[in-house]
Every structure is written in C-alpha cells, then in structure tokens.
Amino acid sequence: MMTNKNYDVKKIERSRKLKFGSSAIIIMISAIIVFVMINLMASWATFEVDLTPEKLYSIGDQTKAILKEIDKEVQIYGFIDETRLSDDSYHWKIIDLLKKYDTYDNITVDYIEPNANIEFINELDPDGVLDLSKNNYVVVCGDYKKVLKYFDLFDAFASEYSTYGVIDTGSRAEMAITSAINYVSKTDRTNIAFTTGHEEFTSQYDYIAFAEKLELNGFIIDEVNLYKQPITDETDIIIIANPTSDFYQEEIVKLQSFMAEGKSLYILMDSFVTNDRFLNLQEFLLDYNVQLNYDKVKEYDTSFYLEGNQYYLIPELINNSISNDIFDGFSNMMVPNARSITVLKVINNNLTIVPMLITSDKAKLEGLYEDIDDVTGAAYLAAAILDENTGSRLMLSGTASFIQDQVTMSYEQFDQEATKYVLSNIQWLEGDTGEIFIEQKDYFINFISITTKQANTIGGLLVYGLPSLILLAGLLVYLRRRHL
C-alpha cells in the first residue's frame, strides 16, 4: 500500500516533469515562431549579403572609388535577352554584378536582344571591328568602346578528361568590367612599345598575359625594332625584356634621345651566360648610376626562397614612395633566376635612385664568368631612377621571367602579387600612381607554395609539437585521476 509520503514524492516528481516538459514545449514553439518570422522578414527584405569567401557577387572598394570619380557618361550594353535566360546561365552572375554598377549616376546598363536590333548594332559598330555578337557585352564612352566576351569575364580551361567541355575556374568579371570602364573613360592614353630584334620577351609570345593586363588598364601596346625603326612621338614607355644580345650603338643613341625628351624605360634582364656582356647597354646605364651584375643569385636564408629551389627567390619588397601603394597587404612574389644590380657610388644630384627589391644578407651572388668572383651578402634586384633634369624615368630589374607566361602559369599563386608589383612600376614610369588592380575571384582553393623556413616550421609542429601536446594532455589527465 502506497504511503502518503511515497504519494507526495510521486506527486512532486510529476509536477516537476509537467513543469519542465511544459517549459520545453513553450521554448520549442517560441523558437519555431521566431525562426518563421525571421524567414518571412528575410524574404521581404531588399538587401543582400555576399557571404562567399571571394566576394563573388560584390564589387570591391577600388571599383567603388573608380566609379565615384567617373565624370563621363558610360553605357554598358549586354547583347542578350535576359527574359529567356535559364537559371544556370553564367549571364545571371554578370547581370547580378552589373546591378551594382548601375546604381552609380554616370553608369547605365541596358540589355538588347541582338537579333531584333541589328540596325542598332550596325550603328554602334559600323565597320565591324568590334565583332559584336550574341552574349557579348560592350562598354561605351564617347568614341571609345570595349567589348567583353566570355573569356574576358571568366577564367576557364578545357580538359580532355572532362565531359563538360569548358570548366569555369574563376570570375574575371569585376576586373574586366571596371578596367573597361576605366579604358573608355580615360582621357590620356599611354603608349608602351616592346623592343624586338634581340630575341627579347615580347607582348606577342612571352608576355601575352601581362600585355593583356596592360591593355585592360588602358595602355596601348606596340612593338619597335630600334635598329630598323624610329621611335614614334606617341611612344611614352619602352620595355626591354631579356634581350640575348647587346644593342647596337645606333639603338643606344635612339634610347638616349628618347630619354632626353623626358620619356621612360623599363629594362628587365634575367641571369644567363652569353658571349655578349652588353657593353653598350651597360654604358647607357652608367648615365643613371646603375649596373647589371654578371651573377646569379642563390639564397641561403630559408625565408627568401621557394621550397626546393634556392634560385627561385622570394625577395623583400622595400617600402618607399613608389611601392607604398602596394606595400600594405603585399604577399610573396617569386623571382626566378635573378641577377643583382649595383647602385654606383657616383654623386649626381640630378638623379634620385630608389631600390625596389632586396635579398637577404645570406644571399650568394655566383659569378657567371671565370673572372667574376662569388660574393655573399644582401643585394638589390631592382631599382627606380628619376632624372630630375629631363624628367625621364628608368626602372631596372634583375629578373624578367617572373611575369613570363610559362612561369605565371606554373606558379599561379604568385601571379597576382607580380602583377601588382609590375603595374605599380608601369604607373610610376608614366607618372601616375593610381593603378587599377582587381584580383580574379577563384571558385576553387588554389595550391600554395611556401618557403623552406615555413615548411620546416610546419613539419616541426606536426612531427614534434602536436604529439608532445597530446602526451602532455594525457599525463595531466593521468596525474589528476590516478587517486580517484
């Protein structure tokens, strides 16, 4: 027979169960109501938040700053019928992005069904030079026009192992659209000529991707054979990239006259052995108190070279008046097969020399010829020189391959930093410091390369550090519980 005492205990237990059970039900129902309300409010809201790591559906701060400064009317036409697009069409990404551009006063975006507006297309491109067709986009400002096609907007590759044909690996849309707006609205255009005739790297073969980036930033690209052709008055910057033979004296005279007019020159030279020591070119550089050294730089500081190759340098970018625009947030830049340069101790008050890249103090400068001794110590790999007298500017680099197509394709993780660096140099050569650089937004995680020091640190932590922590934690648990 149940006693009163036992009955009271059971009653209390039931009342507690009822109380806590009721509270749990109320909390659950309240949570459901709150979540339903939040979802309803979210569906009514007009704002969007881009939560993708690469901000695929947003425009960056640099684009916003450029769009705010546009004082001309820029029209963007999309030759598509947006009413017939499927949900998985890549155009939806572009349309969504262009909505951000359309919010600015001087930017207007319109979509035109090409088959129904052939007359308009003929008026826009009467000579057919733009090759406008369905699915193209064109940016127009006054008489200047820039066409954007699929491969301008997306980074993609075609794999023979894939059944999907072309696979998108990243979005170049913001870079392409913003650069096109800058290109068509730019008042003054800088002409850059790559030299030919000495087996140099050119915009047509070795620097194709680099030349495309220059064009995206509004530069006009050309080539010149100094031995056979005069330098045109329109040329503002000449690039000499890795010649394998010296320039003739007649060519040097043309370069001297060019610089006397206040123009600019960019010389990039890898480390390699030839029978020609470039005596004429070195004589030209003497006027600017700099020289290319006959050596090949090998690093012994594990923080200054790529894991596995001591000739693939990761130099330090020197913070100065030229590099300060890119210094903040600048990551590693890989420089293969570099030679050092020397800033000569010649007093010339008309010259301002600014070193750009430097090795560690453990670097070894290996002489390329028998009469060149090896030297150990920190060395400059690049420098900028301003002639205050004429206004001419010279950028000298002891490496040329770091922006070569085959190198940037093989070491893609360093491409963006190299582009930032070189574009800042080009902008300085033209006298402009407001460079445009909008990074590609990758869909996939890229492989990274690390220095030897970083590899040793990570290996040490994984091999010794982590097991030690586990053993220590086990020991502490054992000591606390052994008397329990």
Side-chain angles (χ1 to χ4, degrees):
M1 183 175 179
M2 185 179 293
T3 63
N4 289 336
K5 184 176 181 179
N6 290 336
Y7 177 78
D8 291 339
V9 171
K10 294 287 186 181
K11 184 177 180 181
I12 292 170
E13 288 178 352
R14 284 196 297 270
S15 64
R16 286 179 177 175
K17 289 180 181 178
L18 180 62
K19 178 181 178 181
F20 290 114
S22 301
S23 298
I25 292 172
I26 293 172
I27 292 172
M28 183 175 66
I29 294 173
S30 300
I32 292 173
I33 293 172
V34 169
F35 282 121
V36 169
M37 292 301 296
I38 290 174
N39 277 276
L40 286 173
M41 293 174 64
S43 66
W44 297 331
T46 57
F47 67 92
E48 297 176 345
V49 178
D50 187 352
L51 299 178
T52 58
E54 291 274 3
K55 299 299 179 183
L56 294 171
Y57 306 103
S58 307
I59 58 175
D61 293 336
Q62 190 170 22
T63 290
K64 293 175 183 176
I66 292 169
L67 297 180
K68 287 179 182 178
E69 294 178 1
I70 296 293
D71 57 359
K72 300 178 181 178
E73 294 295 325
V74 176
Q75 181 76 49
I76 303 175
Y77 296 106
F79 291 106
I80 59 174
D81 184 353
E82 74 273 25
T83 63
R84 297 184 178 181
L85 294 177
S86 60
D87 293 340
D88 59 349
S89 171
Y90 73 85
H91 288 288
W92 279 120
K93 301 174 186 177
I94 306 302
I95 291 172
D96 190 61
L97 187 64
L98 285 175
K99 289 178 183 177
K100 314 295 191 300
Y101 288 83
D102 204 17
T103 59
Y104 289 82
D105 293 338
N106 292 329
I107 309 294
T108 304
V109 180
D110 288 314
Y111 297 98
I112 297 171
E113 208 291 308
N115 294 329
N117 293 274
I118 296 176
E119 185 177 344
F120 174 79
I121 293 176
N122 291 335
E123 290 178 2
L124 189 64
D125 184 25
D127 299 322
V129 295
L130 298 179
D131 190 25
L132 297 178
S133 60
K134 186 178 180 180
N135 299 332
N136 292 168
Y137 296 82
V138 61
V139 183
V140 182
C141 181
D143 295 330
Y144 291 100
K145 306 176 183 73
K146 185 78 173 179
V147 178
L148 301 175
K149 301 187 178 183
Y150 175 82
F151 286 104
D152 297 314
L153 300 167
F154 294 94
D155 190 49
F157 76 95
S159 173
E160 60 180 324
Y161 304 106
S162 171
T163 58
Y164 297 99
V166 175
I167 301 173
D168 293 343
T169 60
S171 174
R172 306 174 64 188
E174 183 187 353
M175 175 176 66
I177 296 168
T178 302
S179 298
I181 292 172
N182 177 69
Y183 176 83
V184 299
S185 62
K186 200 171 184 178
T187 304
D188 299 319
R189 299 175 188 279
T190 299
N191 288 259
I192 299 176
F194 287 79
T195 63
T196 62
H198 299 274
E199 298 183 11
E200 302 98 321
F201 291 166
T202 68
S203 60
Q204 301 294 319
Y205 295 101
D206 307 277
Y207 281 173
I208 296 174
F210 174 52
E212 287 177 352
K213 291 169 184 174
L214 289 175
E215 289 179 331
L216 281 174
N217 281 272
F219 295 98
I220 298 172
I221 307 301
D222 201 355
E223 292 185 349
V224 60
N225 186 318
L226 295 176
Y227 186 71
K228 298 179 179 180
Q229 300 170 291
I231 302 173
T232 64
D233 293 337
E234 290 77 20
T235 303
D236 302 295
I237 300 173
I238 289 177
I239 295 180
I240 300 174
N242 222 33
T244 58
S245 62
D246 197 8
F247 284 73
Y248 300 111
Q249 190 59 43
E250 297 93 323
E251 296 176 290
I252 295 297
V253 170
K254 289 182 180 179
L255 287 175
Q256 290 171 335
S257 299
F258 176 74
M259 297 295 277
E261 297 175 4
K263 302 297 183 71
S264 297
L265 178 63
Y266 200 165
I267 300 176
L268 306 98
M269 182 86 78
D270 277 348
S271 174
F272 54 86
V273 178
T274 67
N275 295 325
D276 198 333
R277 296 203 185 185
F278 301 92
L279 298 182
N280 290 335
L281 189 59
Q282 294 280 40
E283 187 73 23
F284 171 82
L285 291 174
L286 278 176
D287 292 337
Y288 292 89
N289 287 357
V290 287
Q291 290 281 269
L292 288 161
N293 295 328
Y294 303 108
D295 58 32
K296 186 174 184 179
V297 182
K298 184 177 184 179
E299 267 291 359
Y300 285 86
D301 188 322
T302 54
S303 297
F304 280 75
Y305 66 88
L306 188 64
E307 168 67 9
N309 195 329
Q310 291 175 260
Y311 295 104
Y312 276 45
L313 314 179
I314 300 179
E316 178 182 347
L317 175 67
I318 302 172
N319 193 7
N320 52 52
S321 58
I322 301 172
S323 66
N324 61 4
D325 286 335
I326 60 170
F327 191 82
D328 292 337
F330 189 82
S331 184
N332 293 336
M333 182 177 73
M334 193 270 292
V335 175
N337 304 323
R339 69 171 71 214
S340 66
I341 67 171
T342 297
V343 176
L344 301 174
K345 298 185 182 300
V346 178
I347 298 176
N348 186 338
N349 294 328
N350 295 325
L351 295 177
T352 300
I353 303 177
V354 180
M356 296 294 294
L357 298 173
I358 191 170
T359 69
S360 77
D361 55 9
K362 297 180 181 178
K364 184 178 182 181
L365 315 181
E366 299 177 340
L368 295 177
Y369 304 96
E370 291 182 358
D371 59 332
I372 306 295
D373 295 330
D374 294 348
V375 178
T376 300
Y380 295 134
L381 301 181
I385 304 98
L386 171 64
D387 188 337
E388 304 283 358
N389 238 5
T390 63
S392 63
R393 301 184 179 209
L394 169 67
M395 186 70 68
L396 180 64
S397 172
T399 177
S401 296
F402 71 113
I403 52 172
Q404 188 184 15
D405 292 333
Q406 66 182 45
V407 173
T408 56
M409 289 177 65
S410 300
Y411 297 91
E412 189 176 355
Q413 64 272 33
F414 297 111
D415 182 29
Q416 291 186 347
E417 302 307 311
T419 300
K420 287 181 185 179
Y421 171 75
V422 179
L423 277 181
S424 71
N425 292 346
I426 295 289
Q427 296 284 350
W428 178 78
L429 287 171
E430 71 162 345
D432 186 5
T433 57
E435 97 275 2
I436 299 174
F437 180 73
I438 301 180
E439 298 183 2
Q440 175 177 301
K441 299 175 180 180
D442 296 319
Y443 296 151
F444 310 113
I445 298 174
N446 290 323
F447 292 104
I448 62 171
S449 295
I450 58 177
T451 65
T452 298
K453 183 177 181 179
Q454 291 169 334
N456 291 338
T457 301
I458 294 171
L461 289 173
L462 293 176
V463 175
Y464 301 106
L466 185 59
S468 299
L469 287 175
I470 294 172
L471 288 173
L472 180 61
L475 180 61
L476 290 174
V477 171
Y478 167 74
L479 292 175
R480 286 176 59 88
R481 297 195 173 196
R482 62 177 177 169
H483 296 302
L484 294 178

